[in-house]
Structures are given as structure tokens and as C-alpha cells.
Amino acid sequence: MSTQMMALLEQYIRKECRNIKLTEREWGVDNDPTSPTQSKVLGAGFFPAYLEEEYPRNKQGIPFVMLVQINFAEVPPMEGIPESGLLQLYVNPFDWSGEYEVLYFDDEELGEEPLDVYHDVLRGWLEDADYALPVNRMHTMTFEEGYSYYGDCDRYFEERLDQLRCDFSEEAIDAYLQKHRGNYGSRIGGYCDFAQYDPRRSDSLLHILQLDSEEGINFCDCGVLHLFINKESAEAKDWEDTIRYVDWY
């Protein structure tokens, strides 16, 4: 297939995203140099001290672990994504794929004194082999503008591809898929990659996060973690109905 034809296909199918680079760190519980509001996986996150009694816990009262934290001020602006504020995913350390809670703190709340929960909550889950979190080492996150060109099992990708089959040959489509298939990764927005199937049944869901398994991160058997939220809820900065979805092979 010609280079021009491939460029046309990519232009029609691509979807804007913000790619996430994860960097595994050697820092431990006692020497985390990042700020409480920095984007990260694990690590010392931000939680307002005045809300200490509302810190996420499971039904038995055991504190949750902050698994992911995204500071939107660090993310290059993109339509549908907040330009500021802090989004966090907390999980039950006894059942990380079960109970969870998603929190959002706006700029005003980020000015509050943070609660020092890192040592009390995280140390035990990292140092005790009986608790199997999908991440056992802290990762920092950086973001860059980009496009996603393929989504394994993403129903919206399949719909767009079906529309183009009338205008492009099967040879061209196959060449496109061969080039881009399997390019998983971590991102905000864009197409979604699923190990099994796309659970979305509504066009109103916004893709906030895809976190892929890589060195130091393993969602069961090389799975992928997603966060989705209703577009209207995201605009209103109401994150209580955020959907967390994890699937694996």
C-alpha cells in the first residue's frame, strides 16, 4: 500500500489522546521526593487533613490505597478533559479489583493542608507479601500530546473502520491493522484496548484513563485498567459515578 494511502487512513481513523509515560522509581516509603499533588502510581498522594474521617475505607474500616493520581494541570489541554484538579483512584488492598473509590479535588481544595497517610496506609501493603497489589513500586507519570490509531476490541474503532471499508480496499485496511495492532499503552482519551471485550453500551461515556501493564505493573495476566465517566458528569466535575473497569486474559 502507498504511503499516501496509509496517511489518509491514519488521518481518518486516528483519535486524539494524551500519552502517559510511566517511570518506575526506586524510592521507598521513607524517601519519596515527589509533591503530594504530582501525577503518579502509588506514592504519597494528596488528601485534605480536614477530611481525615472521610478517608476511603473498605466495609471493615481498613484504609484503601491510592493506586493512581492524575493532576490535570500537568496534562496538555484536550477537549473533554479538565484543565486542573486532581483525580485519584483508591482500591481495597484486600481486593484491588473489587471495592474502589474515585475522588476529585479542585484547585481550592488542593490549597488545604494535606493529610500524611502514606506511612500509615501504604507501608504495610507494600512490605507484606500476603497482599498482592497490582503495583509494588512507585511510578511517576508524564504526559504528551498524541493520537491513538487502534483500539483492540474498541467498538467505536470498529464502527469507524466499518464505515471506511467502502472507500478503501481490504488490502489497505489489513496493512493499516498490521501497522497499528498491538500498540497498547497508557493514555488519557483516545481509543481503548481491551483484553476481552468493550463493556461500554453508551456513547455518553468519556474515556479518562487507560493504564496498561508494563514493568512493575501487572493487572493479573497483563491486563488493562480503565476509567470512564459520563460526559455531563465530567463537565460538572462530579466524579462520583466514575466507572473503573479492569480486564485481563
Side-chain angles (χ1 to χ4, degrees):
M1 183 178 66
S2 70
T3 302
Q4 183 179 10
M5 184 68 71
M6 179 66 75
L8 280 173
L9 265 170
E10 291 176 334
Q11 182 178 353
Y12 284 132
I13 300 181
R14 71 184 187 182
K15 197 171 184 180
E16 186 179 16
C17 69
R18 296 295 177 258
N19 292 315
I20 301 174
K21 179 182 179 182
L22 296 164
T23 303
E24 185 176 346
R25 301 299 185 181
E26 296 293 334
W27 306 324
V29 172
D30 299 308
N31 62 345
D32 176 4
T34 64
S35 74
T37 60
Q38 185 172 334
S39 300
K40 64 186 79 173
V41 177
L42 289 185
F46 173 84
F47 193 88
Y50 78 94
L51 293 177
E52 181 174 3
E53 296 301 317
E54 299 179 29
Y55 186 88
R57 299 173 183 273
N58 68 10
K59 296 176 181 179
Q60 289 72 43
I62 303 298
F64 280 10
V65 171
M66 189 203 76
L67 186 66
V68 182
Q69 174 171 281
I70 297 176
N71 188 331
F72 287 115
E74 299 173 357
V75 181
M78 187 176 76
E79 183 178 358
I81 302 299
E83 295 184 359
S84 63
L86 199 69
L87 185 69
Q88 300 173 321
L89 170 64
Y90 290 82
V91 299
N92 182 351
F94 290 98
D95 181 18
W96 66 265
S97 63
E99 288 182 276
Y100 72 94
E101 189 167 340
V102 175
L103 300 179
Y104 175 85
F105 297 110
D106 60 25
D107 286 346
E108 183 177 349
E109 291 170 304
L110 293 181
E112 297 287 343
E113 178 185 356
L115 177 68
D116 183 10
V117 297
Y118 190 33
H119 295 76
D120 295 336
V121 176
L122 186 57
R123 181 194 295 275
W125 311 133
L126 290 181
E127 296 180 353
D128 193 330
D130 291 336
Y131 303 105
L133 289 170
V135 187
N136 56 21
R137 193 177 295 274
M138 177 182 169
H139 292 66
T140 54
M141 308 172 75
T142 55
F143 309 89
E144 61 180 17
E145 299 179 3
Y147 294 95
S148 61
Y149 293 90
Y150 180 77
D152 198 354
C153 300
D154 186 314
R155 71 186 188 96
Y156 302 114
F157 173 83
E158 297 296 339
E159 288 173 2
R160 297 188 71 179
L161 197 60
D162 286 342
Q163 295 168 2
L164 293 174
R165 290 190 186 277
C166 296
D167 300 319
F168 293 89
S169 67
E170 285 298 325
E171 180 184 3
I173 297 294
D174 289 343
Y176 177 90
L177 294 177
Q178 184 175 357
K179 178 180 179 180
H180 294 291
R181 178 179 281 125
N183 293 333
Y184 280 32
S186 298
R187 68 179 72 101
I188 293 173
Y191 292 117
C192 302
D193 296 299
F194 299 102
Q196 299 292 335
Y197 64 92
D198 189 339
R200 294 172 293 174
R201 295 297 179 265
S202 170
D203 293 338
S204 65
L205 288 179
L206 187 67
H207 182 215
I208 292 297
L209 174 67
Q210 173 171 302
L211 193 62
D212 193 10
S213 293
E214 58 175 70
E215 187 68 31
I217 300 176
N218 187 22
F219 297 108
C220 289
D221 186 9
C222 298
V224 186
L225 178 146
H226 297 276
L227 291 182
F228 302 102
I229 188 172
N230 183 281
K231 294 178 182 178
E232 293 182 356
S233 298
E235 291 174 358
K237 297 183 179 180
D238 178 10
W239 297 84
E240 291 186 3
D241 65 344
T242 301
I243 300 169
R244 185 216 51 194
Y245 180 75
V246 187
D247 70 339
W248 52 85
Y249 293 101

